[in-house]
Amino acid sequence: VAKADAATELPFLVDGPTPPPAKELGVFEVGFFREESDNRPLTVAAYQPGDPIFIRFVIAGYKLGPDNRLDVDYGVSVQDPDGKVIVEQKIAAKDTYSSIYPCRIVPGTLILTLSKSMPKGIYRVIVTARDHVGKQTVERPLEFSVE
């Protein structure tokens, strides 16, 4: 009716994790936690026999296919202090999807429950991330102790 236009700019905040500056596939921002709901990782990854272990991390540096398609999975193995594999799951989780927005990180979580008869020592966890679009694989070794 008035044959007029009106426009304004409205600023808004966007918050979220900043992706690691990864040029190739990697497992980043690894933290060991005592409880699933903990916000801060342990300073020292030390547990008692029978404790649950929560490990959180992000995977970044994978390649995207057409339509921002990603195809990433990760697995885990745990070695005892002598280097013997005591737990192994080749694919613990898998993320495959496409979106109009490129996804820059894939969050990962591992939950391990120690046996009550777990011997004391330094244990090694190896997280293996695979990028099926970019045909990349990376292993990230981690350590925790049972005291």
Side-chain angles (χ1 to χ4, degrees), residues 16-85:
T18 302
K23 295 186 184 211
E24 57 187 36
L25 185 66
V27 177
F28 303 94
E29 300 174 15
V30 176
F32 283 84
F33 299 84
R34 192 151 318 281
E35 301 289 333
E36 188 171 14
S37 59
D38 286 350
N39 291 323
R40 291 192 178 150
L42 296 171
T43 306
V44 176
Y47 297 89
Q48 297 290 316
D51 283 351
I53 298 175
F54 299 92
I55 305 170
R56 291 196 300 253
F57 53 89
V58 296
I59 299 171
Y62 47 83
K63 306 298 181 209
L64 297 173
D67 299 322
N68 293 316
R69 181 178 170 273
L70 71 86
D71 187 354
V72 173
D73 68 45
Y74 61 89
V76 62
S77 68
V78 180
Q79 298 173 351
D80 69 11
D82 296 327
K84 178 183 171 198
V85 175

Side-chain angles (χ1 to χ4, degrees), residues 6-21:
T8 188
E9 288 187 22
L10 299 171
F12 61 94
L13 297 174
V14 176
D15 193 14
T18 302

